[in-house]
Amino acid sequence: MGPKKVKKGFTLIEIIVAIVLVGLVSGMAYSLLMFSNRMLANSNKHYDVQNDIRLASSYLTKELRFATDLEIISVSDSKTEVTSGVTGYNYFYIENGIVNQAIYDETTASYSVKPISKLIMGTESSFVKDASKNNVLNLTLTANQEEKKYSVSTAIVLENFPLISSSKAIVGNSGLAVKYKTKAPHASLIQVTSITITGDTAITTLDGQIDLDVIILPNDASIKSVVWSISDTGFASVDSAGVVTAQNNGTVIVTAIAADGSGISDTHTITISGQSSTPTPTPTITVTPEPTPIVTPIVTPTPMPTPIPTPSFPVNVNEGSTNTSNAFDVDFGNNKVTTIQLVESNNPLIVLTPQIGASKKNATLQLAGLVEIDDWIIVRFIHEDGRIAVVKFVYSVSTKWIKA
């Protein structure tokens, strides 16, 4: 028989080495796990910051875009007015890293203040009036997260400013607070219910003038403007501001019609005298008719309308609640348009006020005047590289404005 083998256990050194190796592996795994957790936590924080300022910028843009009155003021002034109960305005103010909104409640005659964002660094954010345009507000929101800084800047076009008055402009230059009134296009349109023309009823001086005015009700009508017209331009003329200028002796009727499409109007009769001449009426001449010769009728071909050239880039009408008789939105895909012009319309009362978006890839075509069924307009869009798209749009009650 050979020698008997004896099974040995692990030595103390082997056990210690094994424990050390297990500890090293466990430590590395733990360190990797903690590193991953820290990276995930930091990513979540960074995402929260970026998402916060994006949402805040989007909310402020949506709220201020349809402002009808806006003034840039200081934070202290805005808080003082909110505390004192100044009525009729809402407020945004940025303080201690928080964007706050104060909304006036007419029912309770008090303000409610709510935070829009809690991660914005107020000292690095601002509301700034565009130096070259009266109706553009530049908004910048900046946030810091550890050593990283995030910033969102946008240009807010106040679309109701040109609609209400061409001379209306943002008040103030820059600051961390704004006070404003707003009326979004999707809100119920408050139409004009009555128009009353006021002013003199006679012109007695040579080439004299009368400055007519209007009283429009209700006071909070959405569009408080009118379109002037006169019954006979041979006796007098009327301009867009309601100034009547005499030309010849006679009587004229001046009409003011609401520009919101409600059809409300008023008339004003003016008697004109003291002018140098009076139009001589055309005398009626009686002519004895001669026998009518038999003539072969000549058929005159119906003239065809001038064809509209194929657009060099797309122009599409955006469907939705913003498509009304007096306004509709269009977009140009990824193309940028710098100029929009009204070429022709079958309704001489229609006035086009285009409002090009900040990205130049879309625009709002704002119309003043009484828009009726089957009215059409032809509009020229000029691309920033010089290309041109001429498009005809037609209005109906069912489809609103569409491309013809």
Side-chain angles (χ1 to χ4, degrees):
M1 291 182 61
K4 184 177 181 181
K5 293 182 179 181
V6 179
K7 293 183 179 180
K8 293 183 177 181
F10 293 104
T11 65
L12 179 60
I13 294 176
E14 291 174 332
I15 293 175
I16 293 174
V17 170
I19 292 174
V20 170
L21 291 175
V22 171
L24 289 173
V25 173
S26 299
M28 292 174 64
Y30 178 77
S31 298
L32 181 61
L33 177 62
M34 294 301 295
F35 176 77
S36 300
N37 286 337
R38 284 196 300 272
M39 290 294 292
L40 179 60
N42 289 335
S43 297
N44 288 337
K45 290 180 180 179
H46 296 161
Y47 172 79
D48 289 340
V49 171
Q50 295 177 63
N51 189 56
D52 196 54
I53 62 174
R54 281 198 301 267
L55 291 176
S57 176
S58 176
Y59 181 82
L60 267 69
T61 299
K62 181 179 179 181
E63 184 74 6
L64 298 178
R65 178 184 176 189
F66 301 106
T68 57
D69 189 354
L70 188 141
E71 180 179 356
I72 304 173
I73 60 176
S74 66
V75 173
S76 58
D77 287 345
S78 66
K79 294 177 68 176
T80 298
E81 293 186 10
V82 169
T83 303
S84 62
V86 175
T87 62
Y89 286 90
N90 297 328
Y91 297 81
F92 281 115
Y93 60 89
I94 307 172
E95 184 182 40
N96 299 326
I98 300 176
V99 180
N100 297 288
Q101 183 182 28
I103 301 177
Y104 182 74
D105 187 341
E106 295 183 357
T107 304
T108 61
S110 62
Y111 279 93
S112 60
V113 180
K114 62 179 181 179
I116 304 303
S117 171
K118 296 183 179 180
L119 297 176
I120 307 300
M121 302 305 293
T123 56
E124 300 182 38
S125 304
S126 63
F127 299 98
V128 180
K129 175 183 175 181
D130 192 305
S132 62
K133 298 179 181 178
N134 287 333
N135 66 331
V136 176
L137 179 69
N138 295 315
L139 168 66
T140 300
L141 298 178
T142 303
N144 292 332
Q145 177 62 40
E146 296 178 352
E147 297 181 354
K148 293 188 176 182
K149 180 184 292 186
Y150 303 94
S151 181
V152 172
S153 297
T154 185
I156 305 173
V157 179
L158 307 185
E159 299 191 1
N160 282 324
F161 272 31
L163 177 65
I164 294 175
S165 171
S166 59
S167 62
K168 193 173 184 65
I170 296 171
V171 179
N173 294 315
S174 63
L176 294 176
V178 293
K179 57 186 292 187
Y180 66 97
K181 297 178 181 179
T182 186
K183 183 180 292 296
H186 53 72
S188 298
L189 177 67
I190 301 177
Q191 289 191 320
V192 173
T193 57
S194 73
I195 294 176
T196 303
I197 302 177
T198 61
D200 293 338
T201 59
I203 299 177
T204 59
T205 59
L206 180 63
D207 299 327
Q209 292 184 327
I210 291 178
D211 190 356
L212 300 179
D213 202 354
V214 289
I215 299 173
I216 298 177
L217 296 177
N219 292 326
D220 59 346
S222 301
I223 303 175
K224 299 185 70 175
S225 58
V226 299
V227 177
W228 295 94
S229 62
I230 198 164
S231 59
D232 194 330
T233 56
F235 295 111
S237 63
V238 62
D239 64 15
S240 59
V243 178
V244 179
T245 303
Q247 295 177 359
N248 290 292
N249 297 330
T251 301
V252 293
I253 299 175
V254 179
T255 302
I257 185 169
D260 64 354
S262 61
I264 301 299
S265 64
D266 188 28
T267 59
H268 192 75
T269 302
I270 298 176
T271 302
I272 303 171
S273 61
Q275 308 308 303
S276 59
S277 63
T278 303
T280 302
T282 303
T284 303
I285 301 175
T286 304
V287 180
T288 303
E290 296 181 357
T292 303
I294 300 175
V295 180
T296 304
I298 300 174
V299 178
T300 303
T302 302
M304 297 297 292
T306 303
I308 297 175
T310 302
S312 59
F313 56 88
V315 177
N316 298 310
V317 177
N318 296 337
E319 299 179 356
S321 59
T322 57
N323 191 338
T324 66
S325 62
N326 286 94
F328 61 98
D329 295 333
V330 295
D331 67 72
F332 321 113
N334 290 323
N335 295 279
K336 293 185 178 181
V337 168
T338 57
T339 305
I340 300 177
Q341 302 168 333
L342 177 63
V343 177
E344 186 181 354
S345 174
N346 67 328
N347 184 346
L349 297 180
I350 291 180
V351 178
L352 173 63
T353 304
Q355 300 164 17
I356 301 176
S359 66
K360 300 181 182 179
K361 297 180 181 180
N362 52 63
T364 296
L365 302 187
Q366 188 71 51
L367 304 173
L370 178 60
V371 177
E372 300 180 345
I373 298 173
D374 295 330
D375 277 355
W376 53 263
I377 57 175
I378 297 177
V379 182
R380 180 188 294 111
F381 302 88
I382 303 178
H383 198 282
E384 64 178 2
D385 62 10
R387 287 183 290 154
I388 295 176
V390 179
V391 182
K392 182 177 181 180
F393 303 96
V394 180
Y395 176 76
S396 70
V397 175
S398 59
T399 61
K400 305 301 182 183
W401 286 102
I402 59 172
K403 289 201 311 183

